[in-house]
Amino acid sequence: MKKYLSVLFMTLTLLPALAACGGYDYTKHLSEVRSDLFCAETEEFSLTFACISREYPYSLDGIAAPKSNVAEITIIPAQKSSENFTVTVLGGEKEWGGETSYRNTRGDYFYSQGVKEFPEGSVSLRVQWGENVKEIAATSVKNEKTISPESALKHALEAERDAVKNLMQNGCFMGEFHVRLLRRDANYYYVGIVDGKGHTISLLLDSETGETLARRESD
């Protein structure tokens, strides 16, 4: 009995040390997460619906502030249009949406709105411009092999172990992370590691394996 109690005591004593070694929660330092992208394309335009949890105010200061959910909708017309676009998200308890804003620097039409939750799999939308109206279904770019944003962060932490270690002070990580699902010719993850001075390590990861495909640093 005494031997059992001695072993139990030693185990309980070691638990805090073991947790400190491998149990640090880096996800609490996430300032931005783009977890999904829904895409649709017609003869008249292409549309992207992005699911984003982002801190407010948004700043590359190495400090993660509380996040809120935002849906960002981008429309790129196939040909230059003199008409503005209005987008409405259908389904759910209540339809929502509004008039987009034209962004000269990108040549697209943009709308964003805070939401309580994000759709899964697909989302139905109605797009209006001038006298034209079209209802479409945008589908998620993710597949069964796409890793989660949290898993992408884990791969980035492993790849940048020394850089992350250098940002630890008194057992606390002094920085913030940005994780974004991207869609180009295929799916990718962007992971940004930002310190208190705005210095950023940017990684492009394979969205299925988490392998680092490209890396750069900037101030």
Side-chain angles (χ1 to χ4, degrees):
M1 183 66 178
K2 289 182 178 179
K3 183 178 180 180
Y4 169 77
L5 291 174
S6 177
V7 172
L8 179 61
F9 176 78
M10 290 178 64
T11 302
L12 293 174
T13 303
L14 285 171
L15 280 177
L18 292 172
C21 291
Y24 191 86
D25 183 14
Y26 288 97
T27 60
K28 65 184 180 182
H29 299 284
L30 282 164
S31 290
E32 179 186 24
V33 179
R34 184 194 293 162
S35 57
D36 208 346
L37 290 169
F38 299 84
C39 296
E41 188 168 358
T42 71
E43 293 181 355
E44 297 86 3
F45 59 83
S46 60
L47 179 146
T48 301
F49 182 112
C51 303
I52 302 170
S53 295
R54 180 185 291 143
E55 68 176 2
Y56 182 83
Y58 184 71
S59 176
L60 297 177
D61 56 5
I63 302 173
K67 300 188 297 297
S68 58
N69 293 338
V70 179
E72 294 186 348
I73 301 172
T74 305
I75 297 175
I76 302 177
Q79 297 181 350
K80 190 172 182 180
S81 175
S82 59
E83 303 285 352
N84 202 357
F85 289 81
T86 298
V87 61
T88 304
V89 179
L90 309 175
E93 297 181 0
K94 184 179 180 181
E95 296 180 356
W96 57 270
E99 187 174 338
T100 62
S101 300
Y102 181 71
R103 299 191 294 189
N104 285 304
T105 56
R106 302 190 182 188
D108 60 16
Y109 294 83
F110 179 77
Y111 178 82
S112 67
Q113 182 169 320
V115 295
K116 292 183 178 180
E117 58 185 20
F118 297 125
E120 295 183 6
S122 66
V123 57
S124 298
L125 306 103
R126 180 171 60 246
V127 180
Q128 298 175 263
W129 68 105
E131 298 180 354
N132 303 292
V133 180
K134 179 156 289 191
E135 292 192 3
I136 58 172
T139 56
S140 172
V141 302
K142 297 194 297 186
N143 57 49
E144 65 279 359
K145 294 182 179 180
T146 305
I147 63 177
S148 67
E150 293 76 17
S151 181
L153 176 61
K154 182 179 178 181
H155 282 284
L157 291 170
E158 292 173 353
E160 296 295 327
R161 189 173 303 173
D162 290 340
V164 172
K165 182 179 179 181
N166 290 335
L167 290 175
M168 298 294 293
Q169 293 184 16
N170 299 321
C172 183
F173 179 74
M174 306 302 290
E176 63 180 325
F177 302 107
H178 300 258
V179 180
R180 304 172 193 144
L181 180 64
L182 306 176
R183 177 67 183 178
R184 300 295 184 265
D185 57 321
N187 292 342
Y188 303 93
Y189 270 107
Y190 164 85
V191 178
I193 304 173
V194 186
D195 67 16
K197 297 180 180 179
H199 178 79
T200 304
I201 298 174
S202 299
L203 304 178
L204 184 68
L205 307 184
D206 185 292
S207 68
E208 297 181 3
T209 67
E211 177 187 0
T212 299
L213 304 176
R215 181 189 189 278
R216 68 180 176 88
E217 296 189 42
S218 59
D219 292 315

